[in-house]
Amino acid sequence: MKKALQISRVLTIFLIGLISCKDDERFENTAMPESDAIHIKIAKEDMIGEPYIVGDIPAKSASNSFIGLLGTYNHDVIGKIDASILSQFDKPGQIYYPNTVVEDSTKLYLYIKGKTLAEKQKKNININIHELTQSLDYKGDYTTGMDATPFYNPSILEKVTLVADTFINNNNNTTISLPEDIKNKFVEEIKNEISLGNNRKGTFENTALFNEFFKGLYFSFGDDSETIISITQLDLHFSYQYKLSDGQLATQTYAMPASTFVKQIGLLKRTLPTSTSTDSTVLICSPAGTGMEFSLSIENLKNNSDEVVVATGSM
């Protein structure tokens, strides 16, 4: 009898619980009518991707930490990318050139600092250096796909090989000596300025005058190059040794940087691969190459119902 009473109490409590749940459900329906209910639907729609031509884009001048890309990179899927640089250099300031300069010690060389874009790019890069024959307009508008030919002397000023291992995953540097004839051009102009005293033109003290005297350099990739280097610093250095009063030798160096005060143009050329894209793969390329354009049917997503609002989407 006692056991039957306990079972009866359990059933009573269970029935009360069911009645409470039913009452709560009726309360919800009363507080929020069916017409105000929010229904969530998930729709899926296929997207169509097609390649299109991007065209040239404006070339940006250097920043404090980036000059431009230099080299070439070939890939079976994305094609071939060639990168070259046109660059002016800033003035060094007034140059001190004493009578005790050891003439054989004068040097004109490039200081290049940078890093490869990918660790697997371990092949050396051959670059050709040309002297500019036409000035760059500091405020001029240039594009990444412009023809650089009118701006430089086709005769190669210097041809060098940059060792890729030097730049792998590091911001390392290297130096490149420039030929005697261009170094002597600097020495002669320095001596001429000094001889004029207070009547000097100010070739090395005024950026515009310096860029008239030395218009800059063009850096292009050579044959068999398969590496692209991100150039983070590019300077032209002039140095010499001179004798002190006690007979000791001292070294003086002047830097002419490719800074934000002068013009640099990063050029990019894209050659598409021979293979075409498949139904599920579309190549993306920018700048001055091809890109991918998406088309999506919003009407299909709305499911032909004016009561549906597309709140968010993802791709």
Side-chain angles (χ1 to χ4, degrees):
M1 181 67 180
K2 187 176 182 180
K3 185 174 182 180
L5 182 61
Q6 290 176 345
I7 294 174
S8 175
R9 287 177 179 174
V10 172
L11 291 174
T12 301
I13 294 173
F14 179 69
L15 290 174
I16 292 174
L18 290 177
I19 293 172
S20 298
C21 292
K22 189 64 177 177
D23 289 342
D24 289 343
E25 185 179 344
R26 284 197 300 269
F27 176 76
E28 284 184 7
N29 289 337
T30 302
M32 186 178 69
E34 179 64 26
S35 60
D36 292 338
I38 299 175
H39 300 279
I40 298 175
K41 293 184 178 181
I42 298 176
K44 180 182 178 182
E45 181 68 20
D46 292 335
M47 302 182 71
I48 301 173
E50 296 179 347
Y52 71 98
I53 300 299
V54 174
D56 286 352
I57 65 172
K60 293 181 65 177
S61 287
S63 64
N64 291 327
S65 59
F66 177 71
I67 303 297
L69 301 177
L70 180 60
T72 183
Y73 181 68
N74 207 344
H75 194 278
D76 294 338
V77 176
I78 66 175
K80 185 181 180 183
I81 300 175
D82 299 324
S84 55
I85 299 172
L86 287 162
S87 180
Q88 292 179 321
F89 295 87
D90 202 1
K91 66 183 188 303
Q94 186 174 352
I95 293 181
Y96 173 68
Y97 198 82
N99 295 328
T100 58
V101 168
V102 180
E103 295 293 341
D104 292 342
S105 69
T106 56
K107 296 179 181 178
L108 185 67
Y109 61 94
L110 287 164
Y111 175 91
I112 299 178
K113 191 174 184 180
K115 56 185 177 181
T116 55
L117 294 183
E119 184 177 0
K120 64 181 180 180
Q121 294 182 334
K122 296 184 178 180
K123 292 190 177 182
N124 297 340
I125 172 175
N126 301 315
I127 63 171
N128 299 325
I129 303 173
H130 301 257
E131 185 176 3
L132 297 189
T133 56
Q134 182 176 324
S135 297
L136 301 175
D137 183 359
Y138 180 71
K139 296 182 179 180
D141 295 326
Y142 301 97
T143 62
T144 57
M146 61 174 277
D147 181 15
T149 305
F151 289 88
Y152 65 88
N153 188 333
S155 299
I156 297 176
L157 188 68
E158 192 68 22
K159 187 175 183 178
V160 296
T161 299
L162 300 182
V163 181
D165 285 341
T166 303
F167 299 96
I168 289 178
N169 287 338
N170 291 304
N171 208 4
N172 289 337
N173 64 80
T174 190
T175 58
I176 301 171
S177 296
L178 295 180
E180 287 287 313
D181 56 346
I182 190 170
K183 181 203 73 173
N184 293 335
K185 176 182 175 181
F186 272 73
V187 173
E188 290 174 7
E189 184 66 16
I190 291 170
K191 289 181 177 180
N192 182 58
E193 283 286 275
I194 292 174
S195 68
L196 294 175
N198 292 333
N199 295 321
R200 62 183 180 272
K201 296 180 295 182
T203 301
F204 300 98
E205 301 159 49
N206 180 283
T207 299
L209 291 176
F210 179 71
N211 288 150
E212 286 182 14
F213 162 69
F214 182 70
K215 295 178 173 58
L217 296 172
Y218 172 59
F219 301 84
S220 65
F221 54 91
D223 297 333
D224 301 325
S225 296
E226 295 186 23
T227 300
I228 286 185
I229 296 176
S230 174
I231 305 298
T232 57
Q233 184 177 347
L234 179 63
D235 295 345
L236 186 64
H237 286 184
F238 177 75
S239 71
Y240 58 82
Q241 288 185 323
Y242 64 99
K243 290 183 180 180
L244 300 173
S245 56
D246 60 0
Q248 296 293 320
L249 290 177
T251 301
Q252 179 68 48
T253 302
Y254 295 91
M256 294 153 275
S259 68
T260 56
F261 297 103
V262 289
K263 192 74 172 180
Q264 300 83 34
I265 303 173
L267 304 177
L268 294 174
K269 180 183 178 183
R270 169 76 182 280
T271 304
L272 293 175
T274 54
S275 60
T276 57
S277 58
T278 64
D279 293 339
S280 58
T281 304
V282 178
L283 298 177
I284 301 176
C285 169
S286 182
T290 61
M292 182 164 63
E293 184 177 52
F294 289 107
S295 59
L296 179 65
S297 174
I298 298 298
E299 291 300 320
N300 289 344
L301 281 178
K302 291 176 65 175
N303 205 19
N304 297 320
S305 174
D306 295 334
E307 297 179 0
V308 175
V309 177
V310 179
T312 185
S314 61
M315 180 177 68

